[in-house]
Amino acid sequence: MLAAVFATKTRDQWTKILGTIDVCFAPVMNLDEVMEHPHTKARGVYVAPDGHVQPAPAPRFSRTPAQIQSPPAKPGEHNDAVLAAWGFAADEISALRSGGVLVDP
């Protein structure tokens, strides 16, 4: 029944209606929308050092400001180390790579 009711309006229409009353509500947004949303912009929730969008360090302390220590990992950058830690043998990891299962950085 709820799905039928929600299907009667677009996300933007529901946001306009529910955003003006005291109700726990937030629209589902993609990353580009989140980056431009006034709430996340005002709080500095996301940062983009060197063009790499990522969450800002948290928690935030007034006397000990956090810093981003390195850029985010590239897809596949830590495949071998993570799979080895999970018990995969080197030949199994190699087979995954040659089979196109793993993304190389």
Side-chain angles (χ1 to χ4, degrees):
M1 184 184 338
L2 288 175
V5 171
F6 284 119
T8 64
K9 297 184 181 0
T10 66
R11 183 193 71 176
D12 291 341
Q13 289 171 321
W14 282 115
T15 299
K16 186 175 181 181
I17 294 167
L18 297 173
T20 61
I21 59 176
D22 186 17
V23 63
C24 184
F25 163 79
V28 176
M29 297 181 276
N30 65 39
L31 184 58
D32 291 333
E33 291 171 315
V34 171
M35 293 288 295
E36 294 303 316
H37 193 276
H39 180 88
T40 54
K41 283 178 114 174
R43 287 158 184 77
V45 174
Y46 293 94
V47 295
D50 302 322
H52 301 287
V53 176
Q54 57 188 309
R60 297 181 197 151
F61 300 112
S62 60
R63 291 186 293 162
T64 313
Q67 296 178 338
I68 292 177
Q69 303 297 315
S70 63
K74 296 177 180 132
E77 183 175 349
H78 303 292
N79 283 347
D80 292 6
V82 169
L83 290 171
W86 287 341
F88 282 76
D91 61 328
E92 292 173 309
I93 297 171
S94 180
L96 289 171
R97 181 168 284 105
S98 62
V101 175
L102 297 179
V103 175
D104 282 323

